[in-house]
Amino acid sequence: MNSHSQTIEELQKQLKTTPEGLSSIEAQNRLKEYGENRLKEAGKKSLLVKFLEQFKDVMVLILLAAAAVSFFAALSEHDSSAFFEPLLILLIVVLNAIMGVIQENKAERSLEALMRMAAPHARVIRDGQEQVIDAAALVPGDIIKLEAGDFVPADARLITSSSLKSEESALTGESLPAEKDAETILPVEAPLGDRTNSVYSGCSIVYGTAEAIVTETGMNTQMGKIAGMLEGESEVETPLQQKLARLGKYMGALALIICAVIFAMGLAGKMPVMEIFMTAVSLAVSAIPEGLPVIVTIVLSIGVERMAKRNAIVKKLPAVETLGSTSVICSDKTGTLTQNKMTLTQAYSDKGKIIEKISPENSPEIRKLLLYGTFCSNGSIRFEEGKEIPIGDPTETSIISAAYQNRIRQEELTSQYPRAAELPFDSDRKLMTTIQKIDGSYTAITKGAFDMLSKRCIQGDIKAAEKVTEEMSSQALRVLAIAYRTLDKVPEELTSEALERDLTFLGLVGMIDPPREEAKQAVELCKRAGIRPIMITGDHVVTASAIAGQLGILEAGQEAITGMELQSMSEEAFSQKLEHISVYARVSPEDKIRVVKAWQKKGRIVSMTGDGVNDAPALKAADIGCAMGITGTDVAKGAADMTLQDDNFATIVAAVREGRGIYNNIRKTVGFLLGTNIGEVLLVFCSMLFFKVSPLLSMQLLWINLVTDSLPAIALGMEPVEDSVMDAKPRPREEGIFAHGMGIQVILQGIMFGILSLAAFWIGCTSSGGIKAGRTMAFLVLGCSQIFHAFNMRSAQSLFRTGIFTNRKLNLAAMTSIILMACVLYIPLLSQIFGLTTLPARMYGTGFALALFPIAALELVKALGLIAK
C-alpha cells in the first residue's frame, strides 16, 4: 500500500475508517481477516525432532552402542533373560529423552506466556473513545496515538503530528532520528528513509506527539518483511550453564580415564569381557553429569515463573543469575518507591498570593490555574463505574483530576478551545508548551519545573513563588509552575526560543505521591542483605530528600546532590564521594549512566529502574535494567532485562531474593549430583582395586542413576527460598559455584557414599558368602543413601529446623524413588532380572542403617558450622 503518496481522505476511504476510529465489531472482523499484529515466530521444532535431539549427547550414543552390543551378545546366548539388560538400557535412555522433551516444552510454554504478559500496548481510538489495547489486536484502519517513548506498534500514515521524531535506524540505518510531518504528500517511488509522513512498526518515537492511521500489520509491515527473510536466532546458554557444561566435559574426561582403568583391571582379573565393558560404560554415563545444563534450565524456568507471580517479568534467563548478585539498586522515586497515586493537594496563585488546598470550591484564581494546567496536558481521565482511570503522565492526570473536582471538564475544553500547536516536554528543557485559541486570540501556556520556567518569566512575583516552591517541596510535594503568553498568531517555527520567553507567571501546583509502605520494608531488607539502595530522580532535591528520608534511603552522614553538582565533579572527586551519596535529584540521562558506571567500576552489580525514553540508555548500561510495566514507555521496556508489572520497588527486592534462592538451589543440585556421581565412581574403582570384582552390574548402576539421582535433583531445584537468603552479602560477580568450601564438601560426600556402599558390599559378601548378596547390599545402601542425602542438601541449617516435609516435591520424588527401589528389591521377578537376591531381615536393617548414616553425619557437620553456605 502506497499510503505515503495518498491524502488522508483518500486513505480513510480506501481503509473504510473515520477520525473516530473503527467500531469494536469491525475491528474484530478485520482481526479475523488480517490476523494478529505480530511477527511470525520461527518455526517450532516438532516433538519428534525434540525427541531425537535428546540422543545427540556423546555419552548417550555410547550407551546406545553398549545396548546394541549387549543385544547381539544376548542373541548368541540363546537365553531370553539376557535380553533384559539391553532392553533396560534402551528404556532408561528413552525415559530420559521423554523427560527432556516434557521439560523443554514446559520451559517454552512458560517463557511464551511471560513474553505475552510483557507484550507492547497501543493507544487506539475505537467506538469514538481512546483505549489502551494489546498491540497484537491492531488492524489496518485503526487510529492510533503516539508520543515520545512509544514503540510504533504497526506501520501507519500520520494524520496529525507535532514536532515528531522517530528513531528508524533499525530499518534505514540512519543514526539520527527522522523528522516527521503529517502534511507531506510524497511520490510513490519515495524510498523508505524519505517517507516523512509515515511511521513504521518496531521503531520508536523519541520526540513529539501524533495521530496516525494503521496501514499494515504483522508480517505485512516493513519490519515483518525483513523478519521473513531472516532465520530464527539461536538460543544462548546462560553463563552458569556454560560453566556447568565445561565442568561436565572435564568430569567426562576424568570418568572415561577411570573407566579405562577399571576395564583394564577387569581384564586383568579375568572378568567376562561383556560384563566389564557394560560396567565401565554405564559407570561413565552415571559419573558424567550430562543432565546438569538441562536441570539448570528447568530450575531457572521455574524461577522465572515464580518471579512472574510476584509481578517481575524476566525477558531472558541469564538475568535471573545476575539478579542474585545485585549489590546496588538505583531506583526512580515516582511510582516505584511511592504509590504512583499522584494527587494535587495544594495550589498557589501569583495574583492572589494565596496557597489553597484543592477542593470542589477553589477560588477563581486557582480555577484559572487548573484550567491552564489542563490545557497544557496530554493526559486524560476516563470514568468507568464512577472510578477514575488515568491515561498518560500521572502529574498531568493529577491536574486534570483536580480540575474535574472544580467542574472543569477536559472533553468540553477540547471542543471549545481547540489546541493550535504544541512544543512537547523534553528532559533537557523540563518544560512543555501548548498554544490554545481562547476567545479569538492565541495563548501559549507553559508548564514545567519552576527553576527552568522562572528564568523565562518577565511578569509575576518570582521571589515569592520561589519561597512557596521551597515550602511545598519541604513537604515532599512535587511542584510544577505554570505561565502563559499572549500571541498574535501561531509561529511558523515551534521552538523554545520562539514560545517559551517573555512569560507571565500564573502560579504553582503541588502534588504528592506518598511513599509505599512496602517500599520502606524493602529498603530495610536491602540493607540487611548488603544491597545499597540509591534514589535517582528528576524531582526537586528537597522533595527527593524528604521521600528518601522517610524510606530510610537517606541517612545521617549521607548526601543528596543535584545533576548540576554531579556535572561539576571530576571523575576522581565523584569516585571518592560515591559511597556517601544516596540521592541524585534533577538528573539528566547522561547523569544516570554516569552513576551506574561509577558503581560498576567499583565492582558492584547494578540494577537500574526507569520508565521513560530518556531512561533507556541507563537501563541498557546497568547489569539489570528494570522497566516499569504500568507507566513505562515501550522504549524503556525494550531496553530492560526485566519489567515490573506493578512499578513497585519491593518487587525488585523480591526478585533479587528469588534470584539468590534460584542460584542456591542450583548449587544444591550441582552438589548433590556431583557428590553421588563421585560416590558411584569410587565404589566401583575401589571394589575393582581391592576385590577384583564389580560391586554393581551395569543395569543396577543405570537404575540408581535414573531413580535416585534425577528425580531428587529436579525436586531440589524447586526448594522454597530460605528466609535467611537475604541475610548474606551479595555474591561477587567472579565467584565460582564451588566457593565457600563446597568443592571439598562434594568430594568428601562422594567419599562417604563410596565407603558406605563398599562396606555394604563387603558385609553382604562375607555374611552370606555370595556376590549376589553383596551386590544387593551395595545396591540398597547406595540407592537409599542418595535419596536420604537429598534432604541433607536442602539447607545449611539442620534438617529438623528446616522441616523434614516442607518441600512437597522432594517428598514426592523421594517417595517415588523409594517405591521403585523397593519394587526391584522385593518383587522376586524384578529382583532376579536385576541380578539381586533376597536378604535376611537383619541385613536389610543393617543396609538401612548405613543408608541413614549421611543424615547423621551431615547433621553433626552442620551443628559444627562446617557445611558450605
Side-chain angles (χ1 to χ4, degrees):
M1 181 181 293
N2 297 317
S3 58
H4 59 278
S5 62
Q6 296 175 275
T7 65
I8 296 300
E9 292 73 19
E10 290 172 342
L11 194 58
Q12 286 177 343
K13 188 176 180 181
Q14 182 179 347
L15 291 171
K16 298 177 182 177
T17 188
T18 67
E20 288 74 38
L22 302 173
S23 67
S24 298
I25 296 172
E26 177 61 22
Q28 284 297 320
N29 291 335
R30 293 193 187 191
L31 191 62
K32 292 175 184 176
E33 179 184 351
Y34 294 103
E36 288 193 333
N37 175 37
R38 62 173 84 242
L39 297 183
K40 188 177 179 182
E41 296 179 3
K44 292 186 178 179
K45 299 173 188 174
S46 66
L47 283 176
L48 178 61
V49 171
K50 288 178 183 176
F51 180 75
L52 293 175
E53 283 185 346
Q54 306 297 318
F55 297 93
K56 64 183 181 183
D57 186 85
V58 174
M59 297 314 301
V60 174
L61 293 174
I62 291 174
L63 197 59
L64 287 173
V69 172
S70 179
F71 180 77
F72 287 114
L75 283 174
S76 62
E77 290 180 20
H78 304 292
D79 182 1
S80 58
S81 63
F83 288 100
F84 180 77
E85 188 163 358
L87 289 174
L88 176 64
I89 296 171
L90 196 60
L91 175 64
I92 288 172
V93 170
V94 170
L95 282 175
N96 267 323
I98 292 171
M99 280 180 62
V101 171
I102 290 171
Q103 292 300 337
E104 188 177 334
N105 280 341
K106 184 179 178 183
E108 271 184 14
R109 284 195 301 270
S110 298
L111 288 173
E112 283 171 5
L114 295 178
M115 292 309 289
R116 283 196 296 271
M117 289 174 70
H121 291 77
R123 291 169 64 194
V124 63
I125 298 174
R126 284 192 182 164
D127 300 317
Q129 288 190 329
E130 184 178 325
Q131 303 174 29
V132 178
I133 65 169
D134 189 328
L138 283 177
V139 293
D142 264 326
I143 307 297
I144 58 173
K145 286 191 170 186
L146 300 166
E147 61 183 26
D150 289 345
F151 270 126
V152 181
D155 287 5
R157 168 72 158 84
L158 297 173
I159 300 172
T160 62
S161 62
S162 177
S163 305
L164 193 71
K165 291 183 181 180
S166 174
E167 168 58 59
E168 297 181 346
S169 58
L171 277 179
T172 65
E174 291 289 336
S175 57
L176 294 175
E179 295 186 5
K180 299 292 181 177
D181 183 6
E183 302 297 325
T184 309
I185 305 293
L186 298 165
V188 174
E189 64 274 10
L192 191 64
D194 293 340
R195 296 178 189 174
T196 56
N197 60 6
S198 301
V199 287
Y200 296 98
S201 174
C203 300
S204 58
I205 303 301
V206 297
Y207 197 84
T209 59
E211 271 195 14
I213 181 169
V214 174
T215 55
E216 302 286 0
T217 59
M219 292 302 289
N220 291 323
T221 63
Q222 295 294 328
M223 196 66 77
K225 290 172 184 175
I226 294 172
M229 296 184 284
L230 300 176
E231 295 180 2
E233 62 182 53
S234 58
E235 293 180 8
V236 179
E237 286 188 329
T238 72
L240 183 59
Q241 284 175 304
Q242 293 169 358
K243 286 179 186 176
L244 293 177
R246 285 197 296 271
L247 173 66
K249 289 177 182 177
Y250 296 148
M251 285 205 65
L254 180 63
L256 287 173
I257 293 169
I258 293 174
C259 289
V261 173
I262 288 174
F263 191 80
M265 291 167 64
L267 290 177
K270 297 183 179 179
M271 286 177 63
V273 174
M274 192 62 208
E275 181 181 329
I276 190 62
F277 172 76
M278 292 302 298
T279 300
V281 170
S282 57
L283 179 61
V285 174
S286 65
I288 297 170
E290 71 276 355
L292 264 182
V294 175
I295 290 175
V296 168
T297 303
I298 294 168
V299 174
L300 288 173
S301 300
I302 291 165
V304 168
E305 286 186 71
R306 282 182 184 173
M307 288 182 183
K309 290 174 183 175
R310 302 193 70 166
N311 294 315
I313 309 299
V314 177
K315 284 164 63 176
K316 292 187 178 180
L317 292 183
V320 179
E321 294 175 28
T322 312
L323 268 170
S325 300
T326 298
S327 54
V328 174
I329 299 178
C330 297
S331 175
D332 187 22
K333 177 183 71 67
T334 306
T336 311
L337 292 165
T338 56
Q339 295 177 17
N340 200 24
K341 295 178 181 176
M342 193 64 77
T343 306
L344 200 63
T345 58
Q346 295 182 25
Y348 166 79
S349 168
D350 181 71
K351 187 176 180 181
K353 297 293 188 295
I354 53 171
I355 300 175
E356 290 185 24
K357 291 185 177 180
I358 297 300
S359 71
E361 300 298 334
N362 283 122
S363 66
E365 291 83 4
I366 297 300
R367 284 170 56 81
K368 181 179 180 181
L369 184 67
L370 296 175
L371 173 68
Y372 276 42
T374 302
F375 279 140
C376 192
S377 293
N378 282 326
S380 61
I381 291 178
R382 192 169 73 245
F383 291 89
E384 290 182 4
E385 299 177 356
K387 184 180 178 183
E388 287 188 5
I389 308 295
I391 299 173
D393 183 82
T395 59
E396 294 189 339
T397 55
S398 71
I399 296 172
I400 297 166
S401 177
Y404 267 109
Q405 286 187 54
N406 281 271
R407 298 174 297 283
I408 299 170
R409 311 294 183 197
Q410 185 188 34
E411 59 272 16
E412 294 173 6
L413 297 178
T414 304
S415 57
Q416 192 174 352
Y417 306 106
R419 181 179 293 184
E422 176 187 341
L423 185 60
F425 174 88
D426 74 48
S427 56
D428 293 324
R429 291 177 12 258
K430 296 186 174 66
L431 298 172
M432 172 186 175
T433 299
T434 60
I435 301 176
Q436 308 290 144
K437 194 169 184 179
I438 303 174
D439 299 330
S441 63
Y442 292 102
T443 302
I445 303 168
T446 302
K447 81 172 192 310
F450 173 77
D451 55 353
M452 301 298 287
L453 185 141
S454 60
K455 301 171 187 176
R456 302 165 187 255
C457 292
I458 59 171
Q459 292 188 45
D461 192 342
I462 300 302
K463 286 188 177 180
E466 189 174 359
K467 290 180 181 178
V468 174
T469 300
E470 293 292 337
E471 183 183 336
M472 286 184 173
S473 297
S474 67
Q475 300 172 43
L477 294 180
R478 183 172 186 177
V479 183
L480 286 181
I482 299 172
Y484 69 96
R485 177 183 171 212
T486 304
L487 303 172
D488 296 327
K489 61 178 182 178
V490 177
E492 291 183 8
E493 289 189 24
L494 298 175
T495 63
S496 178
E497 293 74 15
L499 294 177
E500 295 168 346
R501 63 180 178 83
D502 302 334
L503 300 173
T504 298
F505 183 71
L506 189 60
L508 303 167
V509 289
M511 55 204 74
I512 190 168
D513 185 8
R516 293 178 184 262
E517 188 58 40
E518 64 270 28
K520 189 174 182 178
Q521 297 168 1
V523 168
E524 291 174 3
L525 185 57
C526 276
K527 292 179 177 178
R528 197 178 88 203
I531 300 169
R532 177 72 181 274
I534 303 290
M535 180 189 286
I536 303 181
T537 178
D539 268 359
H540 195 283
V541 67
V542 178
T543 307
S545 298
I547 295 291
Q550 291 177 39
L551 290 169
I553 292 175
L554 185 64
E555 296 181 311
Q558 296 175 348
E559 293 182 48
I561 68 169
T562 65
M564 288 182 67
E565 290 175 296
L566 176 59
Q567 290 158 25
S568 67
M569 288 186 199
S570 66
E571 287 300 321
E572 185 180 350
F574 181 43
S575 179
Q576 289 175 353
K577 290 194 72 173
L578 182 67
E579 301 276 357
H580 303 288
I581 303 171
S582 291
V583 176
Y584 298 85
R586 283 287 191 265
V587 290
S588 68
E590 292 77 14
D591 295 333
K592 294 178 182 181
I593 294 175
R594 189 179 177 192
V595 174
V596 168
K597 291 189 173 178
W599 280 108
Q600 288 174 331
K601 283 178 183 175
K602 289 186 176 286
R604 302 293 191 94
I605 307 295
V606 183
S607 172
M608 173 78 196
T609 72
D611 58 2
V613 64
N614 60 324
D615 292 322
L619 291 173
K620 263 195 170 301
D623 297 285
I624 291 288
C626 305
M628 303 297 104
I630 300 172
T631 61
T633 60
D634 290 336
V635 172
K637 293 174 187 176
D641 304 290
M642 184 170 77
T643 299
L644 307 179
Q645 293 294 86
D646 57 0
D647 291 11
N648 195 338
F649 178 81
T651 301
I652 309 170
V653 181
V656 170
R657 180 180 182 274
E658 200 67 48
R660 288 188 177 190
I662 290 166
Y663 185 81
N664 286 349
N665 284 351
I666 290 171
R667 287 188 82 221
K668 294 169 189 175
T669 302
V670 171
F672 171 74
L673 285 174
L674 294 187
T676 56
N677 289 349
I678 290 170
E680 291 168 12
V681 171
L682 289 176
L683 168 64
V684 177
F685 182 78
C686 293
S687 180
M688 294 291 291
L689 184 65
F690 297 126
F691 304 129
K692 309 300 181 188
V693 67
S694 173
L696 292 171
L697 298 175
S698 58
M699 56 184 169
Q700 293 166 355
L701 273 171
L702 288 167
W703 185 258
I704 288 173
N705 196 43
L706 173 70
V707 170
T708 69
D709 281 9
S710 300
L711 293 179
I714 292 172
L716 266 178
M718 301 180 190
E719 180 72 21
V721 179
E722 295 183 63
D723 293 334
S724 61
V725 76
M726 293 298 275
D727 292 333
K729 299 297 180 186
R731 173 172 51 87
R733 188 192 299 265
E734 65 282 354
E735 182 178 291
I737 199 164
F738 296 109
H740 308 294
M742 184 176 171
I744 295 173
Q745 179 184 315
V746 167
I747 292 170
L748 291 175
Q749 288 172 6
I751 292 171
M752 176 179 65
F753 287 127
I755 291 173
L756 288 172
S757 304
L758 196 62
F761 178 67
W762 180 79
I763 291 170
C765 288
T766 54
S767 297
S768 65
I771 194 170
K772 265 194 174 185
R775 283 174 174 163
T776 303
M777 278 289 285
F779 180 78
L780 169 66
V781 172
L782 182 62
C784 290
S785 63
Q786 291 182 359
I787 296 170
F788 298 149
H789 181 59
F791 289 87
N792 283 328
M793 296 300 295
R794 289 183 57 199
S795 174
Q797 296 179 343
S798 167
L799 175 60
F800 301 102
R801 184 177 175 184
T802 306
I804 299 175
F805 302 111
T806 49
N807 184 341
R808 292 182 181 179
K809 290 185 173 62
L810 181 57
N811 297 338
L812 181 61
M815 184 64 68
T816 304
S817 297
I818 288 171
I819 290 171
L820 290 171
M821 286 287 294
C823 288
V824 173
L825 283 165
Y826 299 121
I827 296 176
L829 178 61
L830 289 177
S831 181
Q832 184 180 353
I833 290 172
F834 273 87
L836 302 173
T837 188
T838 303
L839 298 172
R842 62 181 178 80
M843 295 285 283
Y844 287 118
T846 303
F848 278 111
L850 287 172
L852 287 169
F853 179 81
I855 289 181
L858 266 291
E859 282 298 311
L860 177 62
V861 171
K862 289 176 182 179
L864 296 173
L866 301 176
I867 200 77
K869 294 184 180 180

